[in-house]
Amino acid sequence: MMSQALSHNGLMDRAETSYGTSRWLAIVGIGEDGVEGLTPTARTLVETAGLVVGGERHLQLAASLIKGEARRWFSPIADTLPEITARRGQPVCVLASGDPFCFGIGSTLAAAIPAEEMLVVPALSSLTLAAARMGWGEQDVPVISLCGRPLESLRPALQGGERLFVLSTDETTPASVAAYLAAQGFGDSRLSVLEALGGPREVIRSDIARSFALEDIAHLNLIALELVAGPEARPLPLAPGLPDNWFEHDGQITKREIRTLTLSSLQPHPGALLWDIGCGSGSISIEWLLSHPRTQAIALEKDDTRAARAARNAAVLGVPRLAVKLGPASTSLADLPAPDAVFIGGGLARDGGLIEAAWQALKPGGRLVANAVTIEAQQLLTEAWQKLGGQLLRVSVERAEPVGGLTGFRPAMPVLHLAVTKPGAPR
């Protein structure tokens, strides 16, 4: 019966090893339509599993099929993994919402269990259903998950005229999103709340952000946004170089023009980790994080007031994932994961060993970038350039400012800029 069910779905080859030494773990996607929406393959995998793991809702939806032991996820979910891996070679089934690898449990399981030991039978994801209901091309609409993430995570995606899917934490998320949009100058945006998609309780309702008044929203919901930028909105540009006054700072900030050059030299890319040493306002690490959602950054700052300020800037500008570490760099670097890029913006003249320590920690193929204003720090950069090579630039910027009722150009202090790549292939 099991082989026939799997053959029906083109999985005959994998059926023979599904619960042998190879594919012992089944991950079955289930929608709000419950067992009625499961394929014959999925039904068989649930029925024949000695252990079925899932959320309370999943287990209730599949209750009529479960013949083995049913186990709810522990909190945190990772605590359940040992119980699953202890059954290696025995039939285990994990129930997931829709597509397990679309913002689902699949990625967590794949990090602990090889793909060749899993048989995955996805159902339609909530995003696929939402795109179908809204008539939107799924490939054209960005997705932001607010499950366990702060509202500020929305900020980089707020662009007038764009559409956006938002994965809700619970029934309170739509109202919170509406209030956040209004506060950011997007109060005329339309929110469509899609509740319990794919099941008998499905309903879709819409309202405008500034006057949002929908009530009795289902715990399971997804938001489709049609963004409208008002005159007070400040969408984040896609290019680096945010205006200086968008950051809270006390003067310790890499100015816009130098910041643009610095980010270009750092060469951010997906998944790369930056050390921002002497971060000040956090402007460099914040714009590094804005360059791609999978970039990472650790900002080091010995002054607690500035460290708190950098954390606030990161939240306000939509990258609350910035990790701010308080303390002197000389005692902090050894405990950090190896970086793909390092920026030194402060502390050079007071700690001449920073460049060497950063260079030693940097991954092969990584980038070291440093800026210096004082003569003492510039001497250190010059010596580093003579030893390491790379590019050494002296940059001067002049800005037009009032001069006694007229206008003139006032030069800023020149900056010495070092950018060098560590030899070796990137890891």
Side-chain angles (χ1 to χ4, degrees):
M1 176 180 177
M2 179 178 179
S3 295
Q4 291 175 347
L6 289 166
S7 177
H8 178 271
N9 289 275
L11 299 174
M12 173 65 97
D13 292 341
R14 283 179 282 181
E16 296 176 359
T17 58
S18 293
Y19 286 143
T21 57
S22 182
R23 299 181 185 274
W24 56 275
L25 175 63
I27 309 178
V28 172
I30 188 168
E32 283 296 286
D33 50 356
V35 297
E36 295 301 319
L38 294 181
T39 64
T41 297
R43 287 170 176 258
T44 301
L45 292 171
V46 175
E47 288 176 328
T48 57
L51 173 66
V52 179
V53 180
E56 183 175 358
R57 182 175 61 86
H58 302 136
L59 294 174
Q60 289 177 348
L61 287 169
S64 62
L65 296 179
I66 299 174
K67 295 180 172 56
E69 177 186 354
R71 167 71 66 188
R72 288 172 51 187
W73 290 110
F74 297 141
S75 182
I77 282 177
D79 289 350
T80 319
L81 294 181
E83 185 163 342
I84 293 174
T85 55
R87 305 279 189 114
R88 181 174 260 107
Q90 303 174 42
V92 176
C93 179
V94 169
L95 296 173
S97 295
D99 182 351
F101 282 91
C102 182
F103 294 90
I105 194 63
S107 298
T108 300
L109 292 169
I113 300 168
E116 57 268 22
E117 296 185 26
M118 300 188 298
L119 181 62
V120 183
V121 185
L124 291 176
S125 73
S126 60
L127 292 171
T128 297
L129 291 170
R133 302 296 190 268
M134 298 298 296
W136 296 355
E138 187 175 354
Q139 73 280 357
D140 298 325
V141 185
V143 181
I144 300 294
S145 174
L146 292 182
C147 299
R149 297 175 176 86
L151 276 171
E152 290 84 359
S153 303
L154 284 172
R155 178 72 194 280
L158 299 185
Q159 302 286 338
E162 291 297 298
R163 293 168 170 172
L164 187 66
F165 283 133
V166 178
L167 303 181
S168 295
T169 300
D170 55 30
E171 63 275 10
T172 68
T173 304
S176 297
V177 168
Y180 183 75
L181 290 175
Q184 296 297 320
F186 288 81
D188 291 329
S189 301
R190 175 172 292 276
L191 290 83
S192 295
V193 183
L194 299 90
E195 306 169 52
L197 284 172
R201 298 181 299 112
E202 178 180 314
V203 63
I204 301 173
R205 297 180 287 168
S206 299
D207 206 346
I208 301 302
R210 70 173 69 258
S211 56
F212 189 85
L214 298 183
E215 297 180 345
D216 298 322
I217 294 172
H219 181 83
L220 188 66
N221 71 84
L222 180 152
I223 307 167
L225 295 181
E226 296 169 85
L227 296 168
V228 178
E232 70 277 24
R234 293 200 308 187
L236 295 176
L238 299 181
L242 296 178
D244 294 343
N245 62 6
W246 284 24
F247 297 89
E248 180 188 347
H249 65 89
D250 60 1
Q252 291 296 315
I253 181 173
T254 303
K255 299 299 192 294
R256 182 179 193 173
E257 298 83 2
I258 304 301
R259 190 179 339 120
T260 302
L261 169 64
T262 300
L263 287 158
S264 175
S265 295
L266 285 168
Q267 300 177 6
H269 57 274
L273 170 65
L274 169 72
W275 286 1
D276 183 359
I277 300 176
C279 72
S281 66
S283 63
I284 293 293
S285 46
I286 287 170
E287 293 219 43
W288 167 279
L289 293 173
L290 285 170
S291 69
H292 193 275
R294 288 202 293 112
T295 49
Q296 306 170 68
I298 301 173
L300 294 100
E301 176 56 58
K302 69 175 185 178
D303 183 279
D304 56 356
T305 300
R306 288 175 179 164
R309 186 180 293 124
R312 289 196 299 271
N313 282 331
V316 168
L317 292 170
V319 285
R321 68 184 186 278
L322 174 63
V324 180
K325 189 173 180 65
L326 181 63
S330 57
T331 59
S332 301
L333 300 185
D335 299 329
L336 302 180
D340 300 280
V342 176
F343 172 62
I344 304 176
L348 267 179
R350 294 181 295 275
D351 187 353
L354 270 181
I355 294 178
E356 179 61 25
W359 184 254
Q360 291 301 320
L362 189 63
K363 293 179 182 178
R367 297 281 287 172
L368 172 65
V369 177
N371 294 337
V373 174
T374 68
I375 292 175
E376 293 80 5
Q378 291 184 0
Q379 288 174 335
L380 292 171
L381 280 196
T382 302
E383 292 170 3
W385 172 67
Q386 291 170 336
K387 177 181 178 181
L388 303 175
Q391 185 180 49
L392 190 66
L393 301 177
R394 184 178 173 88
V395 184
S396 181
V397 176
E398 298 181 1
R399 297 184 180 88
E401 295 182 4
V403 180
L406 301 175
T407 304
F409 283 94
R410 187 182 301 278
M413 293 183 69
V415 175
L416 198 64
H417 174 84
L418 171 67
V420 57
T421 300
K422 188 170 183 176
R427 294 178 186 173

